Amino acid sequence: MTERHHGVKPFARIAGTGKAVPETVLTNADLEKIVDTSDEWITTRTGIKERRIVQRGEKTSDYCIKAARIALDEAGVKPEDLDFIIIGTISPDMRFPATAIFVQEALRATNAVAFDVSATCSGFLYTLNLGESMIALGRAKTGLCIGAEFLTPITDWADRGTCVLFGDGAGAAVLTKAEDDRGILSTYIGSGGDASHLLYCVGHGTAGFINTGKEDPSERVIHMKGNELFRFAVRAMEKSGLEALKLAGLTMADVDWVIPHQANMRIIKALGERLECPMEKIIVTIHKYGNNSSASIPLALDDARREGLIKPGQNVLAVAFGGGFTWGGSVFRF
Ligand code: UT7
């Protein structure tokens, strides 16, 4: 049996988690009717069987609020006790105000500072890094970290290379001060812009219509060169995992569960091989939710906890990468 290290003393801990996913399920069979694809192609190339999609009239903040309320209940934290609300999202309600402001208002979290972080699929780990840092510095005691995406409204439903991949949802975690050796043992984040053309969405950014005056419908949707991202994805997540472990003073032998960003089952398997981590220790949700960008890790974390997989005292390693590029890793103990 491996002896457990207790490398670092955590400043913050995850005191509660919650999630919200749309009720509407879009299966691979449904997609066969929309674009030239097949359940066989999607399953073997990605591992996705179905995904949840939002309906007209719903907003990203609606799902953040639902997920946050569940997480707050579990943590026994009142909204007025929150010092921060940070949302990782690339699909906010509006260009401004930040989606976090709408969540703050709905929760009546009057004492919180609320803002969004744009870090693509690493968004949740960026929020965890910021939240943990604020608690470590004594600038906050309690806060909410959320990863939330409505990707299907910004998906090109004529592009089979992307429309089969994405899904919608939100996951939340309440952070409070750590009381013992359980908590966030490390957070590691990074970014680099040398390949930003591989994955982007102009949206309402100044690079688009507002600047050029030319209507271009392609600005509204996600553009991705998936196969060029693939290799980077595996390398970035491996590096992030190893860095996060080093910062936590742990090795893979100490890790009970790995929660990778859910972009592609083949990427997840390749990561497992590189980290020498058996698939039984890797949390996989891609078959039911698809790729939810910054929501994928908190959704998987919440599901794994509620299914009783993650037990008290166990170490979890979360790793992500995304367009930009962005990447990150974090080790936490429940
Ligand atoms: O969330 C973070 C960022 N995202 C990622 O990290 C995504 C990483 N990349 C991937 O997951 C994979 O690259 C994809 C799943 C996006 C694509 O898989 P791939 O094995 O890299 O396929 P490909 O793009 O190289 O395309 C292979 C073939 C092409 O046909 P030809 O040119 O060989 O005739 C595509 O047109 O598969 C075709 N194809 C499809 N066929 C059926 C692409 N999409 C589909 C589809 N159904 N949905």
Side-chain angles (χ1 to χ4, degrees), residues 8-55:
V8 295
K9 193 178 163 340
F11 294 103
R13 72 185 180 104
I14 297 176
T17 59
K19 75 145 197 269
V21 291
E23 279 175 20
T24 308
V25 175
L26 186 76
T27 65
N28 291 350
D30 295 329
L31 279 163
E32 286 176 356
K33 294 175 202 142
I34 301 173
V35 283
D36 179 16
T37 190
S38 64
D39 174 47
E40 201 267 332
W41 191 95
I42 303 171
T43 306
T44 53
R45 295 291 182 118
T46 73
I48 302 168
K49 295 300 284 183
E50 59 186 40
R51 66 290 289 145
R52 301 298 185 95
I53 62 163
V54 290
Q55 295 300 306

mmCIF file of all heavy atoms in Angstrom, residues 8-55:
data_model
loop_
_atom_site.group_PDB
_atom_site.id
_atom_site.type_symbol
_atom_site.label_atom_id
_atom_site.label_comp_id
_atom_site.label_asym_id
_atom_site.label_seq_id
_atom_site.Cartn_x
_atom_site.Cartn_y
_atom_site.Cartn_z
ATOM 1 N N VAL A 8 1.478 19.557 1.585
ATOM 2 C CA VAL A 8 1.199 20.960 1.880
ATOM 3 C C VAL A 8 -0.082 21.073 2.693
ATOM 4 O O VAL A 8 -0.963 20.237 2.624
ATOM 5 C CB VAL A 8 1.043 21.782 0.584
ATOM 6 C CG1 VAL A 8 2.320 21.838 -0.194
ATOM 7 C CG2 VAL A 8 -0.083 21.232 -0.268
ATOM 8 N N LYS A 9 -0.134 22.174 3.460
ATOM 9 C CA LYS A 9 -1.328 22.433 4.260
ATOM 10 C C LYS A 9 -2.261 23.291 3.410
ATOM 11 O O LYS A 9 -1.861 24.352 2.944
ATOM 12 C CB LYS A 9 -0.901 23.181 5.524
ATOM 13 C CG LYS A 9 -1.979 23.242 6.573
ATOM 14 C CD LYS A 9 -1.458 23.952 7.809
ATOM 15 C CE LYS A 9 -2.552 24.425 8.735
ATOM 16 N NZ LYS A 9 -3.865 24.563 8.193
ATOM 17 N N PRO A 10 -3.489 22.835 3.181
ATOM 18 C CA PRO A 10 -4.375 23.623 2.329
ATOM 19 C C PRO A 10 -4.887 24.884 3.019
ATOM 20 O O PRO A 10 -5.064 24.898 4.236
ATOM 21 C CB PRO A 10 -5.534 22.662 2.051
ATOM 22 C CG PRO A 10 -5.517 21.685 3.169
ATOM 23 C CD PRO A 10 -4.096 21.568 3.632
ATOM 24 N N PHE A 11 -5.084 25.925 2.243
ATOM 25 C CA PHE A 11 -5.702 27.154 2.747
ATOM 26 C C PHE A 11 -7.220 27.086 2.624
ATOM 27 O O PHE A 11 -7.952 27.587 3.451
ATOM 28 C CB PHE A 11 -5.204 28.361 1.941
ATOM 29 C CG PHE A 11 -3.746 28.643 2.110
ATOM 30 C CD1 PHE A 11 -2.832 28.283 1.128
ATOM 31 C CD2 PHE A 11 -3.286 29.267 3.258
ATOM 32 C CE1 PHE A 11 -1.484 28.536 1.289
ATOM 33 C CE2 PHE A 11 -1.938 29.538 3.432
ATOM 34 C CZ PHE A 11 -1.028 29.162 2.440
ATOM 35 N N ALA A 12 -7.669 26.505 1.516
ATOM 36 C CA ALA A 12 -9.104 26.499 1.215
ATOM 37 C C ALA A 12 -9.570 25.072 0.955
ATOM 38 O O ALA A 12 -8.782 24.204 0.582
ATOM 39 C CB ALA A 12 -9.368 27.358 -0.016
ATOM 40 N N ARG A 13 -10.858 24.843 1.147
ATOM 41 C CA ARG A 13 -11.407 23.514 0.822
ATOM 42 C C ARG A 13 -12.698 23.669 0.040
ATOM 43 O O ARG A 13 -13.336 24.736 0.076
ATOM 44 C CB ARG A 13 -11.648 22.700 2.087
ATOM 45 C CG ARG A 13 -12.819 23.194 2.906
ATOM 46 C CD ARG A 13 -12.940 22.418 4.211
ATOM 47 N NE ARG A 13 -14.091 22.922 4.967
ATOM 48 C CZ ARG A 13 -15.256 22.288 5.062
ATOM 49 N NH1 ARG A 13 -15.433 21.125 4.466
ATOM 50 N NH2 ARG A 13 -16.251 22.812 5.757
ATOM 51 N N ILE A 14 -13.061 22.611 -0.647
ATOM 52 C CA ILE A 14 -14.341 22.596 -1.351
ATOM 53 C C ILE A 14 -15.373 22.043 -0.372
ATOM 54 O O ILE A 14 -15.311 20.877 0.023
ATOM 55 C CB ILE A 14 -14.259 21.737 -2.637
ATOM 56 C CG1 ILE A 14 -13.243 22.350 -3.607
ATOM 57 C CG2 ILE A 14 -15.642 21.618 -3.281
ATOM 58 C CD1 ILE A 14 -12.992 21.533 -4.872
ATOM 59 N N ALA A 15 -16.308 22.912 0.041
ATOM 60 C CA ALA A 15 -17.257 22.537 1.092
ATOM 61 C C ALA A 15 -18.589 22.065 0.529
ATOM 62 O O ALA A 15 -19.428 21.564 1.274
ATOM 63 C CB ALA A 15 -17.482 23.742 2.017
ATOM 64 N N GLY A 16 -18.793 22.234 -0.760
ATOM 65 C CA GLY A 16 -20.042 21.782 -1.365
ATOM 66 C C GLY A 16 -19.962 21.922 -2.873
ATOM 67 O O GLY A 16 -19.239 22.784 -3.382
ATOM 68 N N THR A 17 -20.657 21.039 -3.581
ATOM 69 C CA THR A 17 -20.695 21.143 -5.050
ATOM 70 C C THR A 17 -22.143 21.033 -5.533
ATOM 71 O O THR A 17 -23.012 20.539 -4.805
ATOM 72 C CB THR A 17 -19.866 20.020 -5.736
ATOM 73 O OG1 THR A 17 -20.379 18.746 -5.341
ATOM 74 C CG2 THR A 17 -18.395 20.116 -5.392
ATOM 75 N N GLY A 18 -22.372 21.493 -6.742
ATOM 76 C CA GLY A 18 -23.709 21.394 -7.324
ATOM 77 C C GLY A 18 -23.613 21.462 -8.830
ATOM 78 O O GLY A 18 -22.591 21.902 -9.378
ATOM 79 N N LYS A 19 -24.647 21.005 -9.503
ATOM 80 C CA LYS A 19 -24.634 21.076 -10.965
ATOM 81 C C LYS A 19 -26.030 21.340 -11.496
ATOM 82 O O LYS A 19 -27.026 21.121 -10.794
ATOM 83 C CB LYS A 19 -24.073 19.783 -11.559
ATOM 84 C CG LYS A 19 -25.021 18.595 -11.503
ATOM 85 C CD LYS A 19 -24.846 17.718 -12.737
ATOM 86 C CE LYS A 19 -26.020 16.780 -12.916
ATOM 87 N NZ LYS A 19 -25.930 15.486 -12.301
ATOM 88 N N ALA A 20 -26.079 21.823 -12.720
ATOM 89 C CA ALA A 20 -27.358 21.982 -13.414
ATOM 90 C C ALA A 20 -27.120 21.702 -14.885
ATOM 91 O O ALA A 20 -26.215 22.285 -15.495
ATOM 92 C CB ALA A 20 -27.886 23.399 -13.225
ATOM 93 N N VAL A 21 -27.894 20.765 -15.422
ATOM 94 C CA VAL A 21 -27.811 20.483 -16.868
ATOM 95 C C VAL A 21 -29.213 20.576 -17.462
ATOM 96 O O VAL A 21 -30.199 20.272 -16.786
ATOM 97 C CB VAL A 21 -27.183 19.094 -17.178
ATOM 98 C CG1 VAL A 21 -25.710 19.071 -16.833
ATOM 99 C CG2 VAL A 21 -27.915 17.971 -16.474
ATOM 100 N N PRO A 22 -29.313 20.970 -18.725
ATOM 101 C CA PRO A 22 -30.632 21.059 -19.349
ATOM 102 C C PRO A 22 -31.315 19.696 -19.415
ATOM 103 O O PRO A 22 -30.642 18.663 -19.454
ATOM 104 C CB PRO A 22 -30.327 21.559 -20.765
ATOM 105 C CG PRO A 22 -28.958 22.120 -20.708
ATOM 106 C CD PRO A 22 -28.232 21.390 -19.634
ATOM 107 N N GLU A 23 -32.642 19.726 -19.438
ATOM 108 C CA GLU A 23 -33.387 18.455 -19.510
ATOM 109 C C GLU A 23 -33.332 17.846 -20.912
ATOM 110 O O GLU A 23 -33.370 16.631 -21.072
ATOM 111 C CB GLU A 23 -34.849 18.688 -19.136
ATOM 112 C CG GLU A 23 -35.044 18.733 -17.630
ATOM 113 C CD GLU A 23 -36.450 19.092 -17.236
ATOM 114 O OE1 GLU A 23 -37.369 18.952 -18.070
ATOM 115 O OE2 GLU A 23 -36.608 19.538 -16.092
ATOM 116 N N THR A 24 -33.237 18.700 -21.927
ATOM 117 C CA THR A 24 -33.313 18.195 -23.298
ATOM 118 C C THR A 24 -32.037 17.439 -23.679
ATOM 119 O O THR A 24 -30.924 17.955 -23.548
ATOM 120 C CB THR A 24 -33.511 19.361 -24.295
ATOM 121 O OG1 THR A 24 -34.616 20.125 -23.840
ATOM 122 C CG2 THR A 24 -33.779 18.846 -25.694
ATOM 123 N N VAL A 25 -32.246 16.202 -24.143
ATOM 124 C CA VAL A 25 -31.120 15.334 -24.545
ATOM 125 C C VAL A 25 -31.066 15.286 -26.066
ATOM 126 O O VAL A 25 -32.087 15.077 -26.724
ATOM 127 C CB VAL A 25 -31.333 13.900 -23.985
ATOM 128 C CG1 VAL A 25 -30.250 12.959 -24.501
ATOM 129 C CG2 VAL A 25 -31.367 13.916 -22.466
ATOM 130 N N LEU A 26 -29.869 15.501 -26.614
ATOM 131 C CA LEU A 26 -29.671 15.361 -28.065
ATOM 132 C C LEU A 26 -28.765 14.148 -28.270
ATOM 133 O O LEU A 26 -27.603 14.150 -27.836
ATOM 134 C CB LEU A 26 -29.020 16.624 -28.636
ATOM 135 C CG LEU A 26 -28.888 16.674 -30.157
ATOM 136 C CD1 LEU A 26 -30.238 16.975 -30.826
ATOM 137 C CD2 LEU A 26 -27.872 17.744 -30.583
ATOM 138 N N THR A 27 -29.302 13.110 -28.895
ATOM 139 C CA THR A 27 -28.529 11.870 -29.071
ATOM 140 C C THR A 27 -27.763 11.907 -30.399
ATOM 141 O O THR A 27 -28.032 12.751 -31.271
ATOM 142 C CB THR A 27 -29.457 10.643 -29.078
ATOM 143 O OG1 THR A 27 -30.295 10.746 -30.243
ATOM 144 C CG2 THR A 27 -30.300 10.560 -27.824
ATOM 145 N N ASN A 28 -26.855 10.946 -30.551
ATOM 146 C CA ASN A 28 -26.143 10.827 -31.827
ATOM 147 C C ASN A 28 -27.120 10.528 -32.958
ATOM 148 O O ASN A 28 -26.943 10.996 -34.091
ATOM 149 C CB ASN A 28 -25.077 9.735 -31.735
ATOM 150 C CG ASN A 28 -23.927 10.133 -30.813
ATOM 151 O OD1 ASN A 28 -23.839 11.287 -30.394
ATOM 152 N ND2 ASN A 28 -23.060 9.179 -30.496
ATOM 153 N N ALA A 29 -28.159 9.758 -32.634
ATOM 154 C CA ALA A 29 -29.178 9.447 -33.658
ATOM 155 C C ALA A 29 -29.880 10.739 -34.105
ATOM 156 O O ALA A 29 -30.166 10.919 -35.302
ATOM 157 C CB ALA A 29 -30.186 8.455 -33.110
ATOM 158 N N ASP A 30 -30.137 11.641 -33.167
ATOM 159 C CA ASP A 30 -30.743 12.941 -33.524
ATOM 160 C C ASP A 30 -29.816 13.705 -34.469
ATOM 161 O O ASP A 30 -30.259 14.331 -35.433
ATOM 162 C CB ASP A 30 -30.979 13.804 -32.278
ATOM 163 C CG ASP A 30 -32.002 13.195 -31.320
ATOM 164 O OD1 ASP A 30 -32.914 12.511 -31.804
ATOM 165 O OD2 ASP A 30 -31.850 13.411 -30.099
ATOM 166 N N LEU A 31 -28.506 13.647 -34.182
ATOM 167 C CA LEU A 31 -27.540 14.385 -35.006
ATOM 168 C C LEU A 31 -27.436 13.819 -36.419
ATOM 169 O O LEU A 31 -27.165 14.555 -37.374
ATOM 170 C CB LEU A 31 -26.159 14.378 -34.331
ATOM 171 C CG LEU A 31 -25.999 15.407 -33.222
ATOM 172 C CD1 LEU A 31 -24.819 15.078 -32.334
ATOM 173 C CD2 LEU A 31 -25.837 16.817 -33.805
ATOM 174 N N GLU A 32 -27.671 12.513 -36.533
ATOM 175 C CA GLU A 32 -27.639 11.885 -37.875
ATOM 176 C C GLU A 32 -28.659 12.534 -38.804
ATOM 177 O O GLU A 32 -28.504 12.513 -40.022
ATOM 178 C CB GLU A 32 -27.925 10.377 -37.759
ATOM 179 C CG GLU A 32 -26.755 9.576 -37.198
ATOM 180 C CD GLU A 32 -27.108 8.103 -36.998
ATOM 181 O OE1 GLU A 32 -28.279 7.712 -37.227
ATOM 182 O OE2 GLU A 32 -26.200 7.338 -36.602
ATOM 183 N N LYS A 33 -29.719 13.113 -38.193
ATOM 184 C CA LYS A 33 -30.764 13.746 -39.015
ATOM 185 C C LYS A 33 -30.406 15.190 -39.375
ATOM 186 O O LYS A 33 -31.046 15.815 -40.205
ATOM 187 C CB LYS A 33 -32.092 13.724 -38.260
ATOM 188 C CG LYS A 33 -32.620 12.324 -38.048
ATOM 189 C CD LYS A 33 -33.877 12.344 -37.176
ATOM 190 C CE LYS A 33 -34.092 10.991 -36.529
ATOM 191 N NZ LYS A 33 -34.586 11.071 -35.156
ATOM 192 N N ILE A 34 -29.387 15.734 -38.702
ATOM 193 C CA ILE A 34 -29.035 17.151 -38.906
ATOM 194 C C ILE A 34 -27.839 17.311 -39.856
ATOM 195 O O ILE A 34 -27.831 18.177 -40.728
ATOM 196 C CB ILE A 34 -28.717 17.826 -37.545
ATOM 197 C CG1 ILE A 34 -29.935 17.728 -36.606
ATOM 198 C CG2 ILE A 34 -28.322 19.288 -37.728
ATOM 199 C CD1 ILE A 34 -29.651 18.208 -35.186
ATOM 200 N N VAL A 35 -26.793 16.495 -39.638
ATOM 201 C CA VAL A 35 -25.590 16.567 -40.484
ATOM 202 C C VAL A 35 -25.188 15.173 -40.954
ATOM 203 O O VAL A 35 -25.690 14.166 -40.442
ATOM 204 C CB VAL A 35 -24.371 17.198 -39.740
ATOM 205 C CG1 VAL A 35 -24.477 18.700 -39.645
ATOM 206 C CG2 VAL A 35 -24.176 16.565 -38.371
ATOM 207 N N ASP A 36 -24.247 15.133 -41.896
ATOM 208 C CA ASP A 36 -23.765 13.860 -42.443
ATOM 209 C C ASP A 36 -22.797 13.228 -41.440
ATOM 210 O O ASP A 36 -21.582 13.436 -41.499
ATOM 211 C CB ASP A 36 -23.071 14.135 -43.788
ATOM 212 C CG ASP A 36 -22.523 12.857 -44.406
ATOM 213 O OD1 ASP A 36 -22.932 11.761 -43.968
ATOM 214 O OD2 ASP A 36 -21.678 12.965 -45.317
ATOM 215 N N THR A 37 -23.374 12.500 -40.478
ATOM 216 C CA THR A 37 -22.551 11.846 -39.458
ATOM 217 C C THR A 37 -23.207 10.532 -39.075
ATOM 218 O O THR A 37 -24.255 10.174 -39.621
ATOM 219 C CB THR A 37 -22.364 12.771 -38.229
ATOM 220 O OG1 THR A 37 -21.379 12.213 -37.365
ATOM 221 C CG2 THR A 37 -23.665 12.971 -37.452
ATOM 222 N N SER A 38 -22.591 9.824 -38.139
ATOM 223 C CA SER A 38 -23.190 8.557 -37.688
ATOM 224 C C SER A 38 -22.858 8.345 -36.225
ATOM 225 O O SER A 38 -21.827 8.833 -35.725
ATOM 226 C CB SER A 38 -22.635 7.402 -38.518
ATOM 227 O OG SER A 38 -21.243 7.278 -38.277
ATOM 228 N N ASP A 39 -23.734 7.607 -35.574
ATOM 229 C CA ASP A 39 -23.480 7.250 -34.169
ATOM 230 C C ASP A 39 -22.122 6.541 -34.073
ATOM 231 O O ASP A 39 -21.347 6.797 -33.144
ATOM 232 C CB ASP A 39 -24.611 6.338 -33.662
ATOM 233 C CG ASP A 39 -24.340 5.809 -32.271
ATOM 234 O OD1 ASP A 39 -23.963 6.607 -31.400
ATOM 235 O OD2 ASP A 39 -24.471 4.584 -32.060
ATOM 236 N N GLU A 40 -21.832 5.703 -35.059
ATOM 237 C CA GLU A 40 -20.585 4.933 -35.043
ATOM 238 C C GLU A 40 -19.370 5.868 -35.070
ATOM 239 O O GLU A 40 -18.445 5.732 -34.270
ATOM 240 C CB GLU A 40 -20.594 3.990 -36.268
ATOM 241 C CG GLU A 40 -19.652 2.797 -36.148
ATOM 242 C CD GLU A 40 -18.299 3.085 -36.766
ATOM 243 O OE1 GLU A 40 -18.256 3.911 -37.708
ATOM 244 O OE2 GLU A 40 -17.287 2.524 -36.296
ATOM 245 N N TRP A 41 -19.403 6.878 -35.967
ATOM 246 C CA TRP A 41 -18.267 7.807 -36.070
ATOM 247 C C TRP A 41 -18.116 8.582 -34.756
ATOM 248 O O TRP A 41 -17.021 8.681 -34.190
ATOM 249 C CB TRP A 41 -18.466 8.799 -37.231
ATOM 250 C CG TRP A 41 -17.210 9.587 -37.548
ATOM 251 C CD1 TRP A 41 -16.278 9.301 -38.497
ATOM 252 C CD2 TRP A 41 -16.746 10.781 -36.872
ATOM 253 N NE1 TRP A 41 -15.262 10.221 -38.479
ATOM 254 C CE2 TRP A 41 -15.511 11.149 -37.487
ATOM 255 C CE3 TRP A 41 -17.207 11.559 -35.830
ATOM 256 C CZ2 TRP A 41 -14.776 12.255 -37.091
ATOM 257 C CZ3 TRP A 41 -16.466 12.664 -35.417
ATOM 258 C CH2 TRP A 41 -15.264 12.998 -36.061
ATOM 259 N N ILE A 42 -19.218 9.127 -34.274
ATOM 260 C CA ILE A 42 -19.132 9.971 -33.069
ATOM 261 C C ILE A 42 -18.654 9.141 -31.872
ATOM 262 O O ILE A 42 -17.789 9.575 -31.103
ATOM 263 C CB ILE A 42 -20.491 10.639 -32.757
ATOM 264 C CG1 ILE A 42 -20.980 11.474 -33.941
ATOM 265 C CG2 ILE A 42 -20.366 11.538 -31.526
ATOM 266 C CD1 ILE A 42 -22.411 11.985 -33.801
ATOM 267 N N THR A 43 -19.189 7.934 -31.750
ATOM 268 C CA THR A 43 -18.831 7.103 -30.588
ATOM 269 C C THR A 43 -17.354 6.697 -30.637
ATOM 270 O O THR A 43 -16.638 6.834 -29.643
ATOM 271 C CB THR A 43 -19.714 5.838 -30.544
ATOM 272 O OG1 THR A 43 -21.078 6.249 -30.573
ATOM 273 C CG2 THR A 43 -19.467 5.036 -29.281
ATOM 274 N N THR A 44 -16.901 6.229 -31.810
ATOM 275 C CA THR A 44 -15.518 5.740 -31.856
ATOM 276 C C THR A 44 -14.510 6.889 -31.841
ATOM 277 O O THR A 44 -13.440 6.764 -31.260
ATOM 278 C CB THR A 44 -15.258 4.855 -33.097
ATOM 279 O OG1 THR A 44 -15.662 5.581 -34.263
ATOM 280 C CG2 THR A 44 -16.011 3.549 -33.019
ATOM 281 N N ARG A 45 -14.850 8.027 -32.450
ATOM 282 C CA ARG A 45 -13.880 9.144 -32.511
ATOM 283 C C ARG A 45 -13.897 10.023 -31.273
ATOM 284 O O ARG A 45 -12.943 10.751 -31.017
ATOM 285 C CB ARG A 45 -14.170 10.037 -33.724
ATOM 286 C CG ARG A 45 -13.989 9.385 -35.061
ATOM 287 C CD ARG A 45 -12.523 9.113 -35.343
ATOM 288 N NE ARG A 45 -12.366 8.523 -36.657
ATOM 289 C CZ ARG A 45 -11.690 9.076 -37.644
ATOM 290 N NH1 ARG A 45 -11.080 10.224 -37.486
ATOM 291 N NH2 ARG A 45 -11.610 8.455 -38.798
ATOM 292 N N THR A 46 -15.023 10.025 -30.522
ATOM 293 C CA THR A 46 -15.108 10.964 -29.396
ATOM 294 C C THR A 46 -15.538 10.331 -28.079
ATOM 295 O O THR A 46 -15.254 10.875 -27.011
ATOM 296 C CB THR A 46 -16.116 12.103 -29.689
ATOM 297 O OG1 THR A 46 -17.448 11.574 -29.621
ATOM 298 C CG2 THR A 46 -15.891 12.741 -31.038
ATOM 299 N N GLY A 47 -16.295 9.240 -28.125
ATOM 300 C CA GLY A 47 -16.849 8.648 -26.896
ATOM 301 C C GLY A 47 -18.189 9.246 -26.502
ATOM 302 O O GLY A 47 -18.801 8.826 -25.518
ATOM 303 N N ILE A 48 -18.659 10.225 -27.270
ATOM 304 C CA ILE A 48 -19.924 10.898 -26.916
ATOM 305 C C ILE A 48 -21.117 10.085 -27.457
ATOM 306 O O ILE A 48 -21.113 9.667 -28.616
ATOM 307 C CB ILE A 48 -19.960 12.331 -27.500
ATOM 308 C CG1 ILE A 48 -18.767 13.153 -26.992
ATOM 309 C CG2 ILE A 48 -21.290 13.026 -27.128
ATOM 310 C CD1 ILE A 48 -18.561 14.475 -27.728
ATOM 311 N N LYS A 49 -22.114 9.883 -26.582
ATOM 312 C CA LYS A 49 -23.350 9.223 -27.018
ATOM 313 C C LYS A 49 -24.502 10.227 -27.072
ATOM 314 O O LYS A 49 -25.382 10.146 -27.912
ATOM 315 C CB LYS A 49 -23.741 8.086 -26.060
ATOM 316 C CG LYS A 49 -22.778 6.913 -26.006
ATOM 317 C CD LYS A 49 -22.591 6.216 -27.344
ATOM 318 C CE LYS A 49 -23.734 5.323 -27.745
ATOM 319 N NZ LYS A 49 -23.467 4.604 -29.014
ATOM 320 N N GLU A 50 -24.503 11.139 -26.111
ATOM 321 C CA GLU A 50 -25.544 12.167 -26.087
ATOM 322 C C GLU A 50 -25.023 13.390 -25.347
ATOM 323 O O GLU A 50 -23.981 13.340 -24.697
ATOM 324 C CB GLU A 50 -26.818 11.638 -25.427
ATOM 325 C CG GLU A 50 -26.623 11.157 -23.991
ATOM 326 C CD GLU A 50 -27.870 10.515 -23.414
ATOM 327 O OE1 GLU A 50 -28.560 9.763 -24.143
ATOM 328 O OE2 GLU A 50 -28.162 10.777 -22.232
ATOM 329 N N ARG A 51 -25.737 14.485 -25.470
ATOM 330 C CA ARG A 51 -25.372 15.714 -24.790
ATOM 331 C C ARG A 51 -26.649 16.439 -24.408
ATOM 332 O O ARG A 51 -27.718 16.161 -24.967
ATOM 333 C CB ARG A 51 -24.438 16.618 -25.631
ATOM 334 C CG ARG A 51 -24.974 17.216 -26.870
ATOM 335 C CD ARG A 51 -25.231 16.254 -28.021
ATOM 336 N NE ARG A 51 -24.056 15.712 -28.685
ATOM 337 C CZ ARG A 51 -23.992 14.475 -29.166
ATOM 338 N NH1 ARG A 51 -25.027 13.646 -29.089
ATOM 339 N NH2 ARG A 51 -22.926 14.017 -29.772
ATOM 340 N N ARG A 52 -26.549 17.370 -23.443
ATOM 341 C CA ARG A 52 -27.714 18.149 -23.012
ATOM 342 C C ARG A 52 -27.678 19.498 -23.711
ATOM 343 O O ARG A 52 -26.626 20.136 -23.768
ATOM 344 C CB ARG A 52 -27.686 18.357 -21.499
ATOM 345 C CG ARG A 52 -27.670 17.068 -20.697
ATOM 346 C CD ARG A 52 -28.924 16.255 -20.962
ATOM 347 N NE ARG A 52 -28.969 15.079 -20.114
ATOM 348 C CZ ARG A 52 -29.608 15.022 -18.945
ATOM 349 N NH1 ARG A 52 -30.251 16.081 -18.493
ATOM 350 N NH2 ARG A 52 -29.602 13.916 -18.226
ATOM 351 N N ILE A 53 -28.835 19.927 -24.197
ATOM 352 C CA ILE A 53 -28.852 21.227 -24.894
ATOM 353 C C ILE A 53 -29.939 22.136 -24.327
ATOM 354 O O ILE A 53 -31.026 21.688 -23.975
ATOM 355 C CB ILE A 53 -29.019 21.069 -26.422
ATOM 356 C CG1 ILE A 53 -30.341 20.394 -26.791
ATOM 357 C CG2 ILE A 53 -27.866 20.276 -27.015
ATOM 358 C CD1 ILE A 53 -30.696 20.594 -28.255
ATOM 359 N N VAL A 54 -29.604 23.417 -24.261
ATOM 360 C CA VAL A 54 -30.543 24.408 -23.702
ATOM 361 C C VAL A 54 -31.631 24.733 -24.720
ATOM 362 O O VAL A 54 -31.469 24.501 -25.926
ATOM 363 C CB VAL A 54 -29.816 25.703 -23.303
ATOM 364 C CG1 VAL A 54 -28.948 25.447 -22.096
ATOM 365 C CG2 VAL A 54 -29.023 26.287 -24.454
ATOM 366 N N GLN A 55 -32.690 25.296 -24.185
ATOM 367 C CA GLN A 55 -33.802 25.726 -25.024
ATOM 368 C C GLN A 55 -33.838 27.243 -25.087
ATOM 369 O O GLN A 55 -33.279 27.928 -24.212
ATOM 370 C CB GLN A 55 -35.123 25.201 -24.448
ATOM 371 C CG GLN A 55 -35.219 23.685 -24.471
ATOM 372 C CD GLN A 55 -35.116 23.122 -25.885
ATOM 373 O OE1 GLN A 55 -35.870 23.521 -26.773
ATOM 374 N NE2 GLN A 55 -34.160 22.225 -26.107
#
